[in-house]
mmCIF file with all atom_site columns, all heavy atoms in Angstrom:
data_model
loop_
_atom_site.group_PDB
_atom_site.id
_atom_site.type_symbol
_atom_site.label_atom_id
_atom_site.label_alt_id
_atom_site.label_comp_id
_atom_site.label_asym_id
_atom_site.label_entity_id
_atom_site.label_seq_id
_atom_site.pdbx_PDB_ins_code
_atom_site.Cartn_x
_atom_site.Cartn_y
_atom_site.Cartn_z
_atom_site.occupancy
_atom_site.B_iso_or_equiv
_atom_site.pdbx_formal_charge
_atom_site.auth_seq_id
_atom_site.auth_comp_id
_atom_site.auth_asym_id
_atom_site.auth_atom_id
_atom_site.pdbx_PDB_model_num
ATOM 1   N N   . TRP D 1 167 ? 43.558 9.721  -119.064 1.00 0.00 ? 167 TRP D N   1
ATOM 2   C CA  . TRP D 1 167 ? 43.966 10.690 -120.087 1.00 0.00 ? 167 TRP D CA  1
ATOM 3   C C   . TRP D 1 167 ? 44.953 11.687 -119.508 1.00 0.00 ? 167 TRP D C   1
ATOM 4   O O   . TRP D 1 167 ? 44.735 12.149 -118.398 1.00 0.00 ? 167 TRP D O   1
ATOM 5   C CB  . TRP D 1 167 ? 42.715 11.426 -120.591 1.00 0.00 ? 167 TRP D CB  1
ATOM 6   C CG  . TRP D 1 167 ? 42.986 12.396 -121.694 1.00 0.00 ? 167 TRP D CG  1
ATOM 7   C CD1 . TRP D 1 167 ? 42.935 12.148 -123.023 1.00 0.00 ? 167 TRP D CD1 1
ATOM 8   C CD2 . TRP D 1 167 ? 43.331 13.780 -121.548 1.00 0.00 ? 167 TRP D CD2 1
ATOM 9   N NE1 . TRP D 1 167 ? 43.238 13.291 -123.723 1.00 0.00 ? 167 TRP D NE1 1
ATOM 10  C CE2 . TRP D 1 167 ? 43.493 14.304 -122.842 1.00 0.00 ? 167 TRP D CE2 1
ATOM 11  C CE3 . TRP D 1 167 ? 43.550 14.639 -120.464 1.00 0.00 ? 167 TRP D CE3 1
ATOM 12  C CZ2 . TRP D 1 167 ? 43.845 15.646 -123.074 1.00 0.00 ? 167 TRP D CZ2 1
ATOM 13  C CZ3 . TRP D 1 167 ? 43.902 15.952 -120.692 1.00 0.00 ? 167 TRP D CZ3 1
ATOM 14  C CH2 . TRP D 1 167 ? 44.042 16.440 -121.990 1.00 0.00 ? 167 TRP D CH2 1
ATOM 15  N N   . GLU D 1 269 ? 33.442 13.463 -112.926 1.00 0.00 ? 269 GLU D N   1
ATOM 16  C CA  . GLU D 1 269 ? 33.663 14.888 -112.652 1.00 0.00 ? 269 GLU D CA  1
ATOM 17  C C   . GLU D 1 269 ? 35.168 15.089 -112.545 1.00 0.00 ? 269 GLU D C   1
ATOM 18  O O   . GLU D 1 269 ? 35.846 14.345 -111.840 1.00 0.00 ? 269 GLU D O   1
ATOM 19  C CB  . GLU D 1 269 ? 33.013 15.290 -111.319 1.00 0.00 ? 269 GLU D CB  1
ATOM 20  C CG  . GLU D 1 269 ? 31.497 15.138 -111.293 1.00 0.00 ? 269 GLU D CG  1
ATOM 21  C CD  . GLU D 1 269 ? 30.781 16.101 -112.235 1.00 0.00 ? 269 GLU D CD  1
ATOM 22  O OE1 . GLU D 1 269 ? 31.276 17.232 -112.422 1.00 0.00 ? 269 GLU D OE1 1
ATOM 23  O OE2 . GLU D 1 269 ? 29.735 15.709 -112.796 1.00 0.00 ? 269 GLU D OE2 1
ATOM 24  N N   . VAL D 1 270 ? 35.681 16.067 -113.261 1.00 0.00 ? 270 VAL D N   1
ATOM 25  C CA  . VAL D 1 270 ? 37.133 16.262 -113.255 1.00 0.00 ? 270 VAL D CA  1
ATOM 26  C C   . VAL D 1 270 ? 37.513 17.735 -113.133 1.00 0.00 ? 270 VAL D C   1
ATOM 27  O O   . VAL D 1 270 ? 36.686 18.629 -113.342 1.00 0.00 ? 270 VAL D O   1
ATOM 28  C CB  . VAL D 1 270 ? 37.787 15.716 -114.557 1.00 0.00 ? 270 VAL D CB  1
ATOM 29  C CG1 . VAL D 1 270 ? 37.613 14.226 -114.687 1.00 0.00 ? 270 VAL D CG1 1
ATOM 30  C CG2 . VAL D 1 270 ? 37.238 16.434 -115.784 1.00 0.00 ? 270 VAL D CG2 1
ATOM 31  N N   . LYS D 1 271 ? 38.756 17.906 -112.772 1.00 0.00 ? 271 LYS D N   1
ATOM 32  C CA  . LYS D 1 271 ? 39.338 19.257 -112.788 1.00 0.00 ? 271 LYS D CA  1
ATOM 33  C C   . LYS D 1 271 ? 40.574 19.175 -113.672 1.00 0.00 ? 271 LYS D C   1
ATOM 34  O O   . LYS D 1 271 ? 41.496 18.428 -113.377 1.00 0.00 ? 271 LYS D O   1
ATOM 35  C CB  . LYS D 1 271 ? 39.734 19.665 -111.371 1.00 0.00 ? 271 LYS D CB  1
ATOM 36  C CG  . LYS D 1 271 ? 40.283 21.084 -111.306 1.00 0.00 ? 271 LYS D CG  1
ATOM 37  C CD  . LYS D 1 271 ? 40.487 21.503 -109.877 1.00 0.00 ? 271 LYS D CD  1
ATOM 38  C CE  . LYS D 1 271 ? 41.891 21.094 -109.428 1.00 0.00 ? 271 LYS D CE  1
ATOM 39  N NZ  . LYS D 1 271 ? 42.192 21.470 -108.050 1.00 0.00 ? 271 LYS D NZ  1
ATOM 40  N N   . ALA D 1 272 ? 40.563 19.922 -114.762 1.00 0.00 ? 272 ALA D N   1
ATOM 41  C CA  . ALA D 1 272 ? 41.726 19.890 -115.664 1.00 0.00 ? 272 ALA D CA  1
ATOM 42  C C   . ALA D 1 272 ? 42.476 21.203 -115.538 1.00 0.00 ? 272 ALA D C   1
ATOM 43  O O   . ALA D 1 272 ? 41.876 22.262 -115.319 1.00 0.00 ? 272 ALA D O   1
ATOM 44  C CB  . ALA D 1 272 ? 41.262 19.690 -117.093 1.00 0.00 ? 272 ALA D CB  1
ATOM 45  N N   . VAL D 1 273 ? 43.772 21.101 -115.622 1.00 0.00 ? 273 VAL D N   1
ATOM 46  C CA  . VAL D 1 273 ? 44.592 22.307 -115.618 1.00 0.00 ? 273 VAL D CA  1
ATOM 47  C C   . VAL D 1 273 ? 45.333 22.344 -116.935 1.00 0.00 ? 273 VAL D C   1
ATOM 48  O O   . VAL D 1 273 ? 46.087 21.427 -117.265 1.00 0.00 ? 273 VAL D O   1
ATOM 49  C CB  . VAL D 1 273 ? 45.585 22.306 -114.443 1.00 0.00 ? 273 VAL D CB  1
ATOM 50  C CG1 . VAL D 1 273 ? 46.426 23.580 -114.454 1.00 0.00 ? 273 VAL D CG1 1
ATOM 51  C CG2 . VAL D 1 273 ? 44.850 22.173 -113.130 1.00 0.00 ? 273 VAL D CG2 1
ATOM 52  N N   . SER D 1 274 ? 45.056 23.382 -117.705 1.00 0.00 ? 274 SER D N   1
ATOM 53  C CA  . SER D 1 274 ? 45.679 23.493 -119.016 1.00 0.00 ? 274 SER D CA  1
ATOM 54  C C   . SER D 1 274 ? 46.231 24.895 -119.173 1.00 0.00 ? 274 SER D C   1
ATOM 55  O O   . SER D 1 274 ? 45.489 25.870 -119.125 1.00 0.00 ? 274 SER D O   1
ATOM 56  C CB  . SER D 1 274 ? 44.621 23.209 -120.088 1.00 0.00 ? 274 SER D CB  1
ATOM 57  O OG  . SER D 1 274 ? 45.164 23.438 -121.353 1.00 0.00 ? 274 SER D OG  1
ATOM 58  N N   . ARG D 1 275 ? 47.526 24.984 -119.340 1.00 0.00 ? 275 ARG D N   1
ATOM 59  C CA  . ARG D 1 275 ? 48.219 26.275 -119.457 1.00 0.00 ? 275 ARG D CA  1
ATOM 60  C C   . ARG D 1 275 ? 47.764 27.260 -118.385 1.00 0.00 ? 275 ARG D C   1
ATOM 61  O O   . ARG D 1 275 ? 47.348 28.385 -118.670 1.00 0.00 ? 275 ARG D O   1
ATOM 62  C CB  . ARG D 1 275 ? 47.985 26.878 -120.840 1.00 0.00 ? 275 ARG D CB  1
ATOM 63  C CG  . ARG D 1 275 ? 48.499 25.970 -121.938 1.00 0.00 ? 275 ARG D CG  1
ATOM 64  C CD  . ARG D 1 275 ? 48.568 26.684 -123.258 1.00 0.00 ? 275 ARG D CD  1
ATOM 65  N NE  . ARG D 1 275 ? 49.185 25.823 -124.241 1.00 0.00 ? 275 ARG D NE  1
ATOM 66  C CZ  . ARG D 1 275 ? 48.504 25.158 -125.182 1.00 0.00 ? 275 ARG D CZ  1
ATOM 67  N NH1 . ARG D 1 275 ? 47.220 25.260 -125.264 1.00 0.00 ? 275 ARG D NH1 1
ATOM 68  N NH2 . ARG D 1 275 ? 49.147 24.393 -126.036 1.00 0.00 ? 275 ARG D NH2 1
ATOM 69  N N   . GLY D 1 276 ? 47.770 26.809 -117.148 1.00 0.00 ? 276 GLY D N   1
ATOM 70  C CA  . GLY D 1 276 ? 47.440 27.666 -116.023 1.00 0.00 ? 276 GLY D CA  1
ATOM 71  C C   . GLY D 1 276 ? 45.945 27.914 -115.850 1.00 0.00 ? 276 GLY D C   1
ATOM 72  O O   . GLY D 1 276 ? 45.503 28.537 -114.880 1.00 0.00 ? 276 GLY D O   1
ATOM 73  N N   . ARG D 1 277 ? 45.126 27.416 -116.740 1.00 0.00 ? 277 ARG D N   1
ATOM 74  C CA  . ARG D 1 277 ? 43.676 27.615 -116.676 1.00 0.00 ? 277 ARG D CA  1
ATOM 75  C C   . ARG D 1 277 ? 43.038 26.374 -116.036 1.00 0.00 ? 277 ARG D C   1
ATOM 76  O O   . ARG D 1 277 ? 43.420 25.254 -116.358 1.00 0.00 ? 277 ARG D O   1
ATOM 77  C CB  . ARG D 1 277 ? 43.147 27.777 -118.101 1.00 0.00 ? 277 ARG D CB  1
ATOM 78  C CG  . ARG D 1 277 ? 41.814 28.457 -118.236 1.00 0.00 ? 277 ARG D CG  1
ATOM 79  C CD  . ARG D 1 277 ? 41.631 28.917 -119.683 1.00 0.00 ? 277 ARG D CD  1
ATOM 80  N NE  . ARG D 1 277 ? 41.749 27.803 -120.615 1.00 0.00 ? 277 ARG D NE  1
ATOM 81  C CZ  . ARG D 1 277 ? 40.729 27.316 -121.342 1.00 0.00 ? 277 ARG D CZ  1
ATOM 82  N NH1 . ARG D 1 277 ? 39.538 27.853 -121.233 1.00 0.00 ? 277 ARG D NH1 1
ATOM 83  N NH2 . ARG D 1 277 ? 40.919 26.311 -122.176 1.00 0.00 ? 277 ARG D NH2 1
ATOM 84  N N   . GLU D 1 278 ? 42.061 26.620 -115.151 1.00 0.00 ? 278 GLU D N   1
ATOM 85  C CA  . GLU D 1 278 ? 41.413 25.483 -114.496 1.00 0.00 ? 278 GLU D CA  1
ATOM 86  C C   . GLU D 1 278 ? 40.021 25.270 -115.077 1.00 0.00 ? 278 GLU D C   1
ATOM 87  O O   . GLU D 1 278 ? 39.250 26.224 -115.166 1.00 0.00 ? 278 GLU D O   1
ATOM 88  C CB  . GLU D 1 278 ? 41.297 25.801 -113.007 1.00 0.00 ? 278 GLU D CB  1
ATOM 89  C CG  . GLU D 1 278 ? 41.508 24.591 -112.137 1.00 0.00 ? 278 GLU D CG  1
ATOM 90  C CD  . GLU D 1 278 ? 41.460 24.965 -110.669 1.00 0.00 ? 278 GLU D CD  1
ATOM 91  O OE1 . GLU D 1 278 ? 40.357 25.277 -110.178 1.00 0.00 ? 278 GLU D OE1 1
ATOM 92  O OE2 . GLU D 1 278 ? 42.521 24.961 -110.051 1.00 0.00 ? 278 GLU D OE2 1
ATOM 93  N N   . ILE D 1 279 ? 39.727 24.050 -115.461 1.00 0.00 ? 279 ILE D N   1
ATOM 94  C CA  . ILE D 1 279 ? 38.394 23.774 -116.008 1.00 0.00 ? 279 ILE D CA  1
ATOM 95  C C   . ILE D 1 279 ? 37.779 22.657 -115.190 1.00 0.00 ? 279 ILE D C   1
ATOM 96  O O   . ILE D 1 279 ? 38.348 21.568 -115.064 1.00 0.00 ? 279 ILE D O   1
ATOM 97  C CB  . ILE D 1 279 ? 38.470 23.346 -117.494 1.00 0.00 ? 279 ILE D CB  1
ATOM 98  C CG1 . ILE D 1 279 ? 39.109 24.459 -118.315 1.00 0.00 ? 279 ILE D CG1 1
ATOM 99  C CG2 . ILE D 1 279 ? 37.097 23.032 -118.060 1.00 0.00 ? 279 ILE D CG2 1
ATOM 100 C CD1 . ILE D 1 279 ? 40.383 24.083 -118.936 1.00 0.00 ? 279 ILE D CD1 1
ATOM 101 N N   . ILE D 1 280 ? 36.598 22.960 -114.613 1.00 0.00 ? 280 ILE D N   1
ATOM 102 C CA  . ILE D 1 280 ? 35.929 21.944 -113.802 1.00 0.00 ? 280 ILE D CA  1
ATOM 103 C C   . ILE D 1 280 ? 34.641 21.537 -114.513 1.00 0.00 ? 280 ILE D C   1
ATOM 104 O O   . ILE D 1 280 ? 33.933 22.380 -115.058 1.00 0.00 ? 280 ILE D O   1
ATOM 105 C CB  . ILE D 1 280 ? 35.608 22.498 -112.401 1.00 0.00 ? 280 ILE D CB  1
ATOM 106 C CG1 . ILE D 1 280 ? 36.927 22.791 -111.677 1.00 0.00 ? 280 ILE D CG1 1
ATOM 107 C CG2 . ILE D 1 280 ? 34.761 21.508 -111.592 1.00 0.00 ? 280 ILE D CG2 1
ATOM 108 C CD1 . ILE D 1 280 ? 36.795 23.374 -110.312 1.00 0.00 ? 280 ILE D CD1 1
ATOM 109 N N   . GLY D 1 281 ? 34.370 20.258 -114.519 1.00 0.00 ? 281 GLY D N   1
ATOM 110 C CA  . GLY D 1 281 ? 33.146 19.799 -115.163 1.00 0.00 ? 281 GLY D CA  1
ATOM 111 C C   . GLY D 1 281 ? 33.162 18.294 -115.325 1.00 0.00 ? 281 GLY D C   1
ATOM 112 O O   . GLY D 1 281 ? 33.930 17.602 -114.664 1.00 0.00 ? 281 GLY D O   1
ATOM 113 N N   . LEU D 1 292 ? 40.580 15.940 -124.526 1.00 0.00 ? 292 LEU D N   1
ATOM 114 C CA  . LEU D 1 292 ? 39.580 15.575 -123.526 1.00 0.00 ? 292 LEU D CA  1
ATOM 115 C C   . LEU D 1 292 ? 38.475 16.618 -123.609 1.00 0.00 ? 292 LEU D C   1
ATOM 116 O O   . LEU D 1 292 ? 38.742 17.828 -123.572 1.00 0.00 ? 292 LEU D O   1
ATOM 117 C CB  . LEU D 1 292 ? 40.207 15.580 -122.131 1.00 0.00 ? 292 LEU D CB  1
ATOM 118 C CG  . LEU D 1 292 ? 39.291 15.149 -120.989 1.00 0.00 ? 292 LEU D CG  1
ATOM 119 C CD1 . LEU D 1 292 ? 38.947 13.658 -121.085 1.00 0.00 ? 292 LEU D CD1 1
ATOM 120 C CD2 . LEU D 1 292 ? 39.933 15.423 -119.632 1.00 0.00 ? 292 LEU D CD2 1
ATOM 121 N N   . ILE D 1 294 ? 35.389 18.394 -121.959 1.00 0.00 ? 294 ILE D N   1
ATOM 122 C CA  . ILE D 1 294 ? 34.764 18.593 -120.651 1.00 0.00 ? 294 ILE D CA  1
ATOM 123 C C   . ILE D 1 294 ? 33.536 19.490 -120.814 1.00 0.00 ? 294 ILE D C   1
ATOM 124 O O   . ILE D 1 294 ? 33.594 20.522 -121.477 1.00 0.00 ? 294 ILE D O   1
ATOM 125 C CB  . ILE D 1 294 ? 35.758 19.247 -119.665 1.00 0.00 ? 294 ILE D CB  1
ATOM 126 C CG1 . ILE D 1 294 ? 36.968 18.324 -119.458 1.00 0.00 ? 294 ILE D CG1 1
ATOM 127 C CG2 . ILE D 1 294 ? 35.090 19.542 -118.330 1.00 0.00 ? 294 ILE D CG2 1
ATOM 128 C CD1 . ILE D 1 294 ? 38.011 18.898 -118.522 1.00 0.00 ? 294 ILE D CD1 1
ATOM 129 N N   . VAL D 1 302 ? 34.359 22.150 -123.475 1.00 0.00 ? 302 VAL D N   1
ATOM 130 C CA  . VAL D 1 302 ? 35.714 22.699 -123.547 1.00 0.00 ? 302 VAL D CA  1
ATOM 131 C C   . VAL D 1 302 ? 36.644 21.576 -124.011 1.00 0.00 ? 302 VAL D C   1
ATOM 132 O O   . VAL D 1 302 ? 36.615 20.469 -123.464 1.00 0.00 ? 302 VAL D O   1
ATOM 133 C CB  . VAL D 1 302 ? 36.173 23.210 -122.156 1.00 0.00 ? 302 VAL D CB  1
ATOM 134 C CG1 . VAL D 1 302 ? 37.514 23.925 -122.260 1.00 0.00 ? 302 VAL D CG1 1
ATOM 135 C CG2 . VAL D 1 302 ? 35.129 24.116 -121.545 1.00 0.00 ? 302 VAL D CG2 1
ATOM 136 N N   . ILE D 1 304 ? 40.310 20.077 -124.400 1.00 0.00 ? 304 ILE D N   1
ATOM 137 C CA  . ILE D 1 304 ? 41.636 20.253 -123.809 1.00 0.00 ? 304 ILE D CA  1
ATOM 138 C C   . ILE D 1 304 ? 42.657 19.360 -124.514 1.00 0.00 ? 304 ILE D C   1
ATOM 139 O O   . ILE D 1 304 ? 42.494 18.139 -124.597 1.00 0.00 ? 304 ILE D O   1
ATOM 140 C CB  . ILE D 1 304 ? 41.600 19.907 -122.320 1.00 0.00 ? 304 ILE D CB  1
ATOM 141 C CG1 . ILE D 1 304 ? 40.619 20.875 -121.660 1.00 0.00 ? 304 ILE D CG1 1
ATOM 142 C CG2 . ILE D 1 304 ? 42.953 20.062 -121.673 1.00 0.00 ? 304 ILE D CG2 1
ATOM 143 C CD1 . ILE D 1 304 ? 40.337 20.545 -120.277 1.00 0.00 ? 304 ILE D CD1 1
ATOM 144 N N   . GLU D 1 308 ? 49.847 20.145 -122.782 1.00 0.00 ? 308 GLU D N   1
ATOM 145 C CA  . GLU D 1 308 ? 50.235 20.872 -121.578 1.00 0.00 ? 308 GLU D CA  1
ATOM 146 C C   . GLU D 1 308 ? 49.294 20.595 -120.411 1.00 0.00 ? 308 GLU D C   1
ATOM 147 O O   . GLU D 1 308 ? 49.288 21.332 -119.434 1.00 0.00 ? 308 GLU D O   1
ATOM 148 C CB  . GLU D 1 308 ? 50.183 22.385 -121.878 1.00 0.00 ? 308 GLU D CB  1
ATOM 149 C CG  . GLU D 1 308 ? 51.299 22.864 -122.764 1.00 0.00 ? 308 GLU D CG  1
ATOM 150 C CD  . GLU D 1 308 ? 52.627 22.893 -122.023 1.00 0.00 ? 308 GLU D CD  1
ATOM 151 O OE1 . GLU D 1 308 ? 52.689 23.557 -120.970 1.00 0.00 ? 308 GLU D OE1 1
ATOM 152 O OE2 . GLU D 1 308 ? 53.575 22.249 -122.468 1.00 0.00 ? 308 GLU D OE2 1
ATOM 153 N N   . ALA D 1 309 ? 48.466 19.577 -120.535 1.00 0.00 ? 309 ALA D N   1
ATOM 154 C CA  . ALA D 1 309 ? 47.392 19.466 -119.555 1.00 0.00 ? 309 ALA D CA  1
ATOM 155 C C   . ALA D 1 309 ? 47.545 18.295 -118.599 1.00 0.00 ? 309 ALA D C   1
ATOM 156 O O   . ALA D 1 309 ? 48.236 17.317 -118.874 1.00 0.00 ? 309 ALA D O   1
ATOM 157 C CB  . ALA D 1 309 ? 46.062 19.349 -120.290 1.00 0.00 ? 309 ALA D CB  1
ATOM 158 N N   . GLY D 1 310 ? 46.892 18.420 -117.475 1.00 0.00 ? 310 GLY D N   1
ATOM 159 C CA  . GLY D 1 310 ? 46.790 17.319 -116.532 1.00 0.00 ? 310 GLY D CA  1
ATOM 160 C C   . GLY D 1 310 ? 45.365 17.302 -116.040 1.00 0.00 ? 310 GLY D C   1
ATOM 161 O O   . GLY D 1 310 ? 44.674 18.327 -116.052 1.00 0.00 ? 310 GLY D O   1
ATOM 162 N N   . VAL D 1 311 ? 44.904 16.139 -115.616 1.00 0.00 ? 311 VAL D N   1
ATOM 163 C CA  . VAL D 1 311 ? 43.518 16.080 -115.159 1.00 0.00 ? 311 VAL D CA  1
ATOM 164 C C   . VAL D 1 311 ? 43.449 15.262 -113.875 1.00 0.00 ? 311 VAL D C   1
ATOM 165 O O   . VAL D 1 311 ? 44.193 14.304 -113.695 1.00 0.00 ? 311 VAL D O   1
ATOM 166 C CB  . VAL D 1 311 ? 42.612 15.506 -116.286 1.00 0.00 ? 311 VAL D CB  1
ATOM 167 C CG1 . VAL D 1 311 ? 42.986 14.091 -116.643 1.00 0.00 ? 311 VAL D CG1 1
ATOM 168 C CG2 . VAL D 1 311 ? 41.144 15.572 -115.905 1.00 0.00 ? 311 VAL D CG2 1
ATOM 169 N N   . ARG D 1 312 ? 42.581 15.704 -112.973 1.00 0.00 ? 312 ARG D N   1
ATOM 170 C CA  . ARG D 1 312 ? 42.421 14.994 -111.704 1.00 0.00 ? 312 ARG D CA  1
ATOM 171 C C   . ARG D 1 312 ? 40.944 14.859 -111.407 1.00 0.00 ? 312 ARG D C   1
ATOM 172 O O   . ARG D 1 312 ? 40.110 15.527 -112.039 1.00 0.00 ? 312 ARG D O   1
ATOM 173 C CB  . ARG D 1 312 ? 43.083 15.783 -110.565 1.00 0.00 ? 312 ARG D CB  1
ATOM 174 C CG  . ARG D 1 312 ? 44.575 15.950 -110.726 1.00 0.00 ? 312 ARG D CG  1
ATOM 175 C CD  . ARG D 1 312 ? 45.168 16.601 -109.500 1.00 0.00 ? 312 ARG D CD  1
ATOM 176 N NE  . ARG D 1 312 ? 45.353 15.660 -108.404 1.00 0.00 ? 312 ARG D NE  1
ATOM 177 C CZ  . ARG D 1 312 ? 46.395 14.835 -108.310 1.00 0.00 ? 312 ARG D CZ  1
ATOM 178 N NH1 . ARG D 1 312 ? 47.314 14.815 -109.229 1.00 0.00 ? 312 ARG D NH1 1
ATOM 179 N NH2 . ARG D 1 312 ? 46.503 14.009 -107.297 1.00 0.00 ? 312 ARG D NH2 1
ATOM 180 N N   . GLY D 1 313 ? 40.636 14.036 -110.402 1.00 0.00 ? 313 GLY D N   1
ATOM 181 C CA  . GLY D 1 313 ? 39.259 13.976 -109.937 1.00 0.00 ? 313 GLY D CA  1
ATOM 182 C C   . GLY D 1 313 ? 38.993 15.228 -109.107 1.00 0.00 ? 313 GLY D C   1
ATOM 183 O O   . GLY D 1 313 ? 39.905 16.018 -108.837 1.00 0.00 ? 313 GLY D O   1
ATOM 184 N N   . LEU D 1 314 ? 37.752 15.416 -108.682 1.00 0.00 ? 314 LEU D N   1
ATOM 185 C CA  . LEU D 1 314 ? 37.476 16.584 -107.837 1.00 0.00 ? 314 LEU D CA  1
ATOM 186 C C   . LEU D 1 314 ? 38.150 16.384 -106.479 1.00 0.00 ? 314 LEU D C   1
ATOM 187 O O   . LEU D 1 314 ? 38.606 15.291 -106.145 1.00 0.00 ? 314 LEU D O   1
ATOM 188 C CB  . LEU D 1 314 ? 35.968 16.770 -107.699 1.00 0.00 ? 314 LEU D CB  1
ATOM 189 C CG  . LEU D 1 314 ? 35.255 17.105 -109.017 1.00 0.00 ? 314 LEU D CG  1
ATOM 190 C CD1 . LEU D 1 314 ? 33.801 17.486 -108.759 1.00 0.00 ? 314 LEU D CD1 1
ATOM 191 C CD2 . LEU D 1 314 ? 35.950 18.236 -109.789 1.00 0.00 ? 314 LEU D CD2 1
#
Side-chain angles (χ1 to χ4, degrees):
W167 183 92
E269 297 293 327
V270 296
K271 183 173 89 179
V273 180
S274 174
R275 300 193 174 103
R277 201 163 57 112
E278 217 177 71
I279 300 116
I280 295 178
L292 183 68
I294 298 179
V302 187
I304 299 172
E308 287 287 304
V311 63
R312 297 186 79 82
L314 295 189

